[in-house]
């Protein structure tokens, strides 16, 4: 893929490394992310509406050495790799490995079906500590100025049902769960900025107020991009 990008005189590869259905990068501090989070018991077959599965376990991840090798290969081709670590949604593989990162502490399995998953990261101190440790290792591996933190498709059901989240919203003066998501992204933005890097997020990060240093990828149409640009933020149009 790096060769194809270089052949077309492009210079960025956005590499999406985590999802509900698999965690694809070795993190030394959290070995269960790959021991548990990188393997799902089966995958969907055919169309989503068929609800059929192949019954075969599927796994795999990049070791940190493989990432270094890939990054250095890409640099020789003048390609920058921008890593994406999804939050607060699309996090089921991580929560399956470390249940305390969810709002209920229940043990879940890595996702097997596609779509949007209601079990998302809980915005508690354990989660922020986890994500800061993960991002520290990711930033060490990828020299890219930008770190993508996702921010898309995060249902608020778990937060609505969580007493902790409701108390946190009162304490922080947040009027709804969209503002809670912005609180989440702002904390991560502050951390990534402190490391001398910048965050990119999908256009949902606009919904509760945009984090100060964020670049927005507008994927649900062009409106999010226009809104973010009017607020003097950099935008990548990806409708």
């Amino acid at each position: 893929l790096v060769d194809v990008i270089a052949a077309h005189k492009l210079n960025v590869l956005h590499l999406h490394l985590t999802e509900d259905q698999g965690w694809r990068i070795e993190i030394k501090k959290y070995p269960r992310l790959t021991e548990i989070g990188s393997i799902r018991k089966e995958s969907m077959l055919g169309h989503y509406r068929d609800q059929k599965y192949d019954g075969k376990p599927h796994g795999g991840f990049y070791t940190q050495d493989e990432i270094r090798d890939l990054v250095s290969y890409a640099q020789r081709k003048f390609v920058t790799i921008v890593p994406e670590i999804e939050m607060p949604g699309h996090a089921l593989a991580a929560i399956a490995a470390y249940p305390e990162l969810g709002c209920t502490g229940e043990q879940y399995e890595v996702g097997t079906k596609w779509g949007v998953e209601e079990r998302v990261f809980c915005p508690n101190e354990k989660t922020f500590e986890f994500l800061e440790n993960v991002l520290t290792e990711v930033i060490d591996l990828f020299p890219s100025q930008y770190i993508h933190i996702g921010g898309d498709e995060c249902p608020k059901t778990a937060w609505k049902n969580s007493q902790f989240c409701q108390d946190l919203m009162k304490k922080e003066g947040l009027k709804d769960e969209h503002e809670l998501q912005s609180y989440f992204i702002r904390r991560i933005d502050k951390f990534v900025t402190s490391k001398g890097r910048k965050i990119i997020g999908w256009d949902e990060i606009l919904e509760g107020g945009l984090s100060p240093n964020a670049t927005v990828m507008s994927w649900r149409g062009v409106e999010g991009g226009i809104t973010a640009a009017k607020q003097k933020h950099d935008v990548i149009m990806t409708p």
Side-chain angles (χ1 to χ4, degrees):
L1 195 55
V2 169
D3 288 346
V4 170
I5 287 169
H8 287 88
K9 304 284 193 288
L10 300 170
N11 60 5
V12 177
L13 170 59
H14 171 184
L15 192 61
H16 195 160
L17 289 160
T18 71
E19 253 300 345
D20 295 313
Q21 300 85 9
W23 184 282
R24 302 279 172 240
I25 179 170
E26 177 189 24
I27 302 294
K28 302 280 192 194
K29 196 172 178 79
Y30 299 106
R32 295 211 305 266
L33 286 173
T34 43
E35 285 164 13
I36 294 167
S38 73
I39 303 159
R40 61 174 177 265
K41 68 179 183 187
E42 58 188 359
S43 305
M44 291 194 104
L45 274 178
H47 196 280
Y48 185 87
R49 65 175 165 255
D50 302 331
Q51 290 293 302
K52 285 186 180 160
Y53 294 86
D54 63 6
K56 294 176 197 159
H58 178 84
F61 60 91
Y62 291 99
T63 66
Q64 293 202 353
D65 285 342
E66 286 169 336
I67 290 284
R68 286 189 191 95
D69 187 47
L70 178 60
V71 165
S72 115
Y73 182 83
Q75 282 172 327
R76 294 199 295 277
K77 302 272 182 170
F78 304 98
V79 172
T80 300
I81 301 182
V82 174
E84 178 173 352
I85 305 293
E86 271 274 14
M87 62 189 83
H90 289 300
L92 186 54
I95 297 168
Y98 294 96
E100 63 273 20
L101 302 173
C103 280
T104 64
E106 285 174 75
Q107 181 64 63
Y108 299 124
E109 290 187 331
V110 177
T112 54
K113 64 167 64 173
W114 310 121
V116 178
E117 173 57 58
E118 290 194 343
R119 292 163 290 184
V120 302
F121 282 132
C122 195
N124 59 30
E125 291 311 311
K126 267 187 185 151
T127 298
F128 288 118
E129 182 191 356
F130 166 82
L131 288 170
E132 287 178 6
N133 287 333
V134 166
L135 288 169
T136 297
E137 292 193 31
V138 168
I139 284 167
D140 187 45
L141 290 166
F142 292 92
S144 160
Q145 183 187 13
Y146 293 101
I147 305 293
H148 204 304
I149 50 80
D152 64 314
E153 296 181 326
C154 178
K156 308 300 187 280
T157 319
W159 293 356
K160 285 188 168 106
N161 295 335
S162 157
Q163 194 54 53
F164 168 81
C165 291
Q166 296 306 309
D167 293 343
L168 179 62
M169 283 161 58
K170 283 196 190 81
K171 183 180 148 213
E172 295 291 334
L174 307 170
K175 73 170 190 283
D176 60 21
E177 285 76 16
H178 293 297
E179 288 196 358
L180 182 57
Q181 174 155 328
S182 283
Y183 161 84
F184 192 114
I185 301 294
R186 272 198 303 274
R187 291 222 12 198
I188 297 296
D189 181 6
K190 192 174 172 187
F191 175 76
V192 172
T193 301
S194 78
K195 297 278 190 184
R197 306 296 183 90
K198 295 177 178 173
I199 66 164
I200 296 178
W202 300 108
D203 57 67
E204 282 95 330
I205 68 172
L206 280 157
E207 285 166 2
L210 195 49
S211 199
N213 304 312
T215 295
V216 172
M217 280 180 87
S218 188
W219 74 278
R220 296 180 298 174
V222 297
E223 282 310 311
I226 293 165
T227 303
K230 282 181 175 164
Q231 293 176 26
K232 305 283 187 277
H233 284 260
D234 286 341
V235 172
I236 301 162
M237 295 305 256
T238 55

